Amino acid sequence: MSISSLTHGLSAASALLFAIAGFRWEHLTVASAPAGIATSMFRTTAAPPDVQDDALSDAETLTVENDPFRLSRMPSTTRFDAPAASPMRTPAGLPHPTLVLKAIVGGPPWQAVIDGLPGQTGSAVAQPGAHFEGLVVRVVSRDSVVVQGADTTWVLSFRVRS
């Protein structure tokens, strides 16, 4: 018996078993299923009971009395009011640096020559993952650089001159 005829035989047997399983699946009914399977496989669940307002009130009281997030198990006496929406500021009100992409060097992995990085005089060569006083160089590709700060992300690319 050759490998080819064995492969064809197994393929034919598999196809036949799949066809039988598909036929049985399509023609399966509650009446034809065995007694133990009919009750578990085709069981429907009853609709959940309506929740009454007093049950919700009781659950709220129970949760507040047993507050798992406070050691005293009591609600806070201090009211929390979220501050009005305000524009995000840099830490300690520092101005954002002016970053300028001067060059991209090498091939994969790329490195960028960037002006304006904090803590650096002049241009600095940066690769992905480099840290410069709160700024992180995330991505350096062949034509752009992504630098992430605490509250700002810069995408630096080359200036097109006409």
Side-chain angles (χ1 to χ4, degrees):
M1 181 177 236
S2 70
I3 297 291
S4 176
S5 62
L6 180 64
T7 303
H8 289 298
L10 288 175
S11 298
S14 297
L16 178 65
L17 290 175
F18 276 119
I20 292 170
F23 177 78
R24 290 190 65 182
W25 179 264
E26 289 293 323
H27 294 86
L28 181 67
T29 61
V30 175
S32 66
I37 294 177
T39 57
S40 65
M41 191 165 134
F42 298 102
R43 181 179 305 148
T44 59
T45 58
D50 291 334
V51 177
Q52 302 299 324
D53 288 339
D54 57 342
L56 290 175
S57 176
D58 293 343
E60 177 188 12
T61 304
L62 180 67
T63 303
V64 169
E65 288 174 355
N66 299 304
D67 191 347
F69 301 104
R70 297 195 184 278
L71 294 176
S72 65
R73 304 274 190 220
M74 299 294 292
S76 174
T77 57
T78 307
R79 180 182 167 94
F80 173 76
D81 289 324
S86 63
M88 292 184 65
R89 296 187 188 113
T90 57
L94 299 174
H96 291 290
T98 302
L99 302 178
V100 178
L101 178 62
K102 292 294 188 175
I104 294 181
V105 183
W110 304 97
Q111 294 182 347
V113 179
I114 304 172
D115 274 353
L117 288 170
Q120 305 295 314
T121 56
S123 299
V125 178
Q127 58 189 8
H131 292 265
F132 298 95
E133 293 185 12
L135 300 182
V136 180
V137 178
R138 293 291 180 196
V139 177
V140 178
S141 66
R142 67 181 180 89
D143 58 356
S144 65
V145 178
V146 177
V147 180
Q148 184 177 10
D151 64 347
T152 305
T153 301
W154 290 267
V155 179
L156 307 175
S157 58
F158 294 111
R159 181 182 299 173
V160 178
R161 297 184 187 199
S162 29

